Amino acid sequence: MQTLSSFLQDHWVEGQAPFTALHNAATGQEIARCSSRGLDLAAALQHAREVGGPTLRAMTFAQRGQLLGRLSASVGAHRDELLDHSRLNMGTTRGDGKFDVDGASGTLAFYAKLGAQLGDRSFLLDGDQVQFSRSKRFVAQHILTPRTGVAIHINAFNFPAWNLSEKLAVAVLAGMPVLAKPGTATALLAVRMVELWQREGLLPPGVLQLLVGSAGDLLDHVGSQDAIVFTGSGATGQQIRGHKQVLALNVPVNIEADSLNACLLGPDVEPGSDTWTMFLAEVVREMTQKAGQKCTAIRRILVPQALLEQVREELVGRLADLRIGDPGDDGVILGPLAGPAQQRDVLAGIAEATKHAQVVWQGPLPLEGCFAPATLLQTERGIDAEYVNDHEVFGPVATLFAVSGQPAEAVAIVARGGGSLAASVFSDDVAWSRQVLLGIAPHTGRIYWGSAKVFDQGVGHGAVMPSLVHGGPGKAGGGEELGGERGLRFYSQRTAIQGDTQMLKAILG
Ligand code: NAP
C-alpha cells in the first residue's frame, strides 16, 4: 500500500507508525496510509520563516502572481489525473471533482491576475494620506506589509484541491510562505498536486510545505508573526483558537466552520416561473453536489405555506430521478461520502434529525461503499425547531421549513442558525427582498439573490468566488477569506507611518 509523505524543508519525508488509513470512498477499501509522527514541525516552520519568507518578500506582487499563474497552469495541465485522484479518494463524480480541481486552478489564476494588476510593488498602501493641520508637510499613511512568519493552513477534508489553493494563493500573493495541512481522510489529491508542482520546479525553497497526517505538536511552535487559517468543524476551530501558544502570542486565527445555510423562497414566486425553476435547481444541486459535503450547501429551505406542497412534490420528483452509485459510472449524480468516518457521522446525523423533523423523502442506500441516502425533511416549528436549526449534517440532507412568508419570520429563522457562510433568496419582489436581504445580512457572509432577471446567469448558491468574501459570523467561524485584494490583509500588518510628505513619498511612492 502507498505511504503518503509530507513535503517539509523541501524534501519528502515519511512519518512513523502508527499510520492512518485513507479509503476508496466508493468501495470503502484502504488505498493509502500516512502518519506525521516523528516529523520535526518546529524545524519546518523555521525553514519557512528563514527561507520562504525572505524569498517572497523580495518579490513584487507581479512576480508572486507569476508564480501562482504557473501553479494554476500545472493544475490545468494535469486536470484528468487530478480528477482521477479525487474520484478514488473522495468518491467524486467527474462534475464534483471539477468543482474542486477547476476551483483550485481558477482561484490561483484569479490571484495571479491580481498580482499583475498590483504590479511592481511589494507592499500595499491602505487608504489615503492623513493630514493633521493646514500644513501638508507633516502627514501619515497607513501601509500593509507581509507578516514575517508562516501562514499555517489547516484544511477540511471536503475540498482537498481548492482549499489548499485558495488559501495558498492569497498568502503567497501577500508575501507569506505556507505550511498546509490537508484533511487526512482525503489527502491524496493535495499530495499529488504538491508533487507535481515540486517536480516541475515551480516551488521556490521554503515557500510551500505540506504536512500529511495529524497536526501533532504543530501549534506548540507557532510564533507571533505567523498566521493561522482553519477550515473545518467549529469544535476543532475552538481548540485551535484556544491553544495556549496561540493565545499567549496573539497569533491571528481565521476560522471557517459549521454553517446552517438557508435558502428562502419569496411568496411572490409563481410555480413554473423562471425564478421557481432556479430555486428548485439550486436546492437539488446543493443537496447532491459533492454528496452535500460543501460548507456552503443549503441545509434549511424556507418555503411559504401556500407553496409548500408543490415545492415538496417537485423536489421529491427531481431527487427520485437522480442516480446514486459509483462516481465513475456515467449518469451518476450522487456519489459516496468521502470515507467511513464521514459516513458514520452523516448516518448518525440523519438518525438524530429524524427525531426532530419528519422525513418527506429518502433515497436508496447502496450496499457497499461510504454512501448516505439523500434525505429531505420537513418541520413546521420554525425558530423552535431543534437540531435542524443547530446541527449541520454534512451530507445530502436538507430540511423544508413551512413559513408564513413574512420577512421578519424568515430573518428570525436565518438568525437562529447562529451565523452562516451563505444564504440564497429567490424572489422578484424588490420590496420583500429588500427587507429579507438587509435583515439576514448581519447573520450571513454572502447572499445569492436569484430572480428572473438573472435566470441562466448566476453562478449558483454554493460557488465561492475568489473576488467575493468567503466566511461568516458566529457559528460559521467569524472569519473571512478571499474577497480579491481584501484577503491579503489577514496576512499583513497594518502600520501608520507619520512623517514629512516628501520623505514619505520617496519610500512609499
Ligand atoms: P475537522 O475534524 O475539524 O478537521 C479539520 C482539519 O483540522 C483537519 O485537517 C484535521 O486534521 C485538523 N485538526 C483536527 N484536530 C485538530 C487539532 N486539535 N489541531 C489542529 N488541527 C486539527 O473537520 P473535517 O471533518 O475535516 O470537516 C468537517 C466539518 O468542517 C464539517 O462538519 C463542516 O461543518 C466543516 N466545514 C466547514 C467549511 C467552511 O468553509 N466553513 C468547509 C468544510 C468543512 P485531521 O484530518 O488529521 O483530523
Side-chain angles (χ1 to χ4, degrees):
M1 189 194 307
Q2 185 187 3
T3 302
L4 301 180
S5 297
S6 291
F7 185 63
L8 300 177
Q9 296 176 269
D10 306 317
H11 293 93
W12 291 98
V13 280
E14 265 182 30
Q16 300 157 0
F19 292 94
T20 304
L22 281 73
H23 297 85
N24 177 328
T27 64
Q29 283 165 349
E30 291 186 13
I31 50 169
R33 61 180 197 167
C34 68
S35 166
S36 59
R37 185 173 285 226
L39 302 179
D40 188 347
L41 303 183
L45 293 175
Q46 200 53 22
H47 180 66
R49 294 180 195 119
E50 287 175 359
V51 180
T55 302
L56 283 173
R57 292 197 297 278
M59 292 163 77
T60 64
F61 285 112
Q63 289 168 330
R64 296 173 204 156
Q66 284 162 9
L67 194 167
L68 296 175
R70 290 191 283 271
L71 301 185
S72 169
S74 168
V75 174
H78 298 281
R79 185 180 189 231
D80 282 338
E81 184 194 341
L82 295 172
L83 289 175
D84 285 346
H85 279 69
S86 174
R87 179 172 45 75
L88 180 66
N89 190 191
M90 262 219 77
T92 49
T93 62
R94 191 169 165 85
D96 289 351
K98 283 198 275 187
F99 198 62
D100 187 24
V101 172
D102 293 350
S105 55
T107 305
L108 287 163
F110 174 90
Y111 276 94
K113 201 167 159 196
L114 180 59
Q117 285 162 7
L118 293 173
D120 290 337
R121 295 183 147 275
S122 56
F123 62 91
L124 292 172
L125 301 184
D126 179 43
D128 297 330
Q129 267 192 359
V130 181
Q131 202 175 312
F132 300 99
S133 64
R134 274 204 209 148
S135 161
K136 286 189 181 164
R137 272 186 56 194
F138 185 69
V139 294
Q141 173 70 53
H142 289 90
I143 64 167
L144 293 162
T145 51
R147 300 175 70 83
T148 59
V150 195
I152 298 171
H153 293 165
I154 300 178
N155 291 327
F157 71 84
N158 61 336
F159 280 98
W162 175 79
N163 226 195
L164 172 73
S165 303
E166 53 102 17
K167 289 185 173 67
L168 175 74
V170 186
V172 164
L173 189 60
M176 279 193 87
V178 170
L179 187 145
K181 190 202 111 42
T184 300
T186 58
L188 192 69
L189 178 52
V191 170
R192 188 61 193 137
M193 280 171 66
V194 177
E195 271 174 5
L196 290 168
W197 290 340
Q198 186 255 330
R199 286 190 191 157
E200 290 171 3
L202 304 181
L203 299 174
V207 162
L208 173 62
Q209 300 180 78
L210 190 75
L211 170 61
V212 184
S214 85
D217 63 357
L218 178 68
L219 297 183
D220 293 344
H221 308 293
V222 291
S224 57
Q225 283 287 314
D226 298 342
I228 301 172
V229 187
F230 167 77
T231 300
S233 63
T236 309
Q238 280 178 19
Q239 279 182 40
I240 290 172
R241 209 196 286 281
H243 187 282
K244 63 178 186 327
Q245 183 77 351
V246 173
L247 287 175
L249 299 180
N250 294 313
V251 181
V253 182
N254 190 79
I255 295 182
E256 308 288 344
D258 314 341
S259 186
L260 278 304
N261 310 299
C263 173
L264 290 71
L265 181 66
D268 61 295
V269 179
E270 298 275 345
S273 65
D274 285 352
T275 309
W276 173 269
T277 306
M278 275 176 97
F279 158 77
L280 292 175
E282 275 312 313
V283 171
V284 172
R285 176 165 52 186
E286 291 300 308
M287 279 184 73
T288 54
Q289 190 171 46
K290 300 201 85 208
Q293 299 167 106
K294 270 176 19 198
C295 50
T296 50
I298 294 168
R299 308 293 177 194
R300 301 180 296 159
I301 312 155
L302 278 56
V303 178
Q305 192 76 54
L307 298 170
L308 188 67
E309 200 177 322
Q310 199 158 349
V311 164
R312 202 170 45 214
E313 258 176 41
E314 294 215 24
L315 282 180
V316 169
R318 287 168 195 229
L319 289 168
D321 277 349
L322 295 177
R323 246 183 90 193
I324 179 168
D326 188 323
D329 290 353
D330 280 348
V332 166
I333 299 292
L334 184 57
L337 299 166
Q342 288 70 30
Q343 186 190 33
R344 274 194 300 278
D345 277 0
V346 171
L347 294 181
I350 293 173
E352 195 57 34
T354 56
K355 293 180 192 162
H356 300 275
Q358 311 114 254
V359 177
V360 170
W361 183 82
Q362 192 158 52
L365 185 61
L367 291 177
E368 280 193 349
C370 307
F371 291 87
T375 304
L376 185 64
L377 304 159
Q378 182 178 321
T379 181
E380 278 75 37
R381 302 199 63 220
I383 58 166
D384 295 324
E386 288 170 1
Y387 200 78
V388 291
N389 270 318
D390 302 311
H391 192 90
E392 182 188 25
V393 181
F394 211 57
V397 183
T399 304
L400 284 166
F401 280 63
V403 296
S404 64
Q406 292 300 317
E409 185 196 19
V411 170
I413 294 175
V414 172
R416 171 71 171 79
S420 307
L421 294 171
S424 47
V425 174
F426 290 88
S427 172
D428 297 295
D429 179 341
V430 175
W432 183 87
S433 300
R434 181 180 194 280
Q435 289 192 60
V436 168
L437 291 171
L438 298 183
I440 66 174
H443 308 280
T444 315
R446 178 172 58 80
I447 305 173
Y448 184 81
W449 184 8
S451 65
K453 300 228 181 217
V454 293
F455 184 67
D456 274 355
Q457 285 184 28
V459 290
H461 162 111
V464 175
M465 307 303 292
S467 51
L468 306 182
V469 292
H470 173 56
K475 197 181 191 88
E480 191 177 286
E481 292 183 14
L482 298 170
E485 196 180 313
R486 292 177 187 86
L488 307 189
R489 292 181 199 157
F490 180 76
Y491 297 101
S492 310
Q493 174 61 40
R494 192 193 321 267
T495 308
I497 305 188
Q498 298 165 279
D500 174 74
T501 312
Q502 293 309 323
M503 288 170 79
L504 273 178
K505 207 171 180 182
I507 301 177
L508 305 179

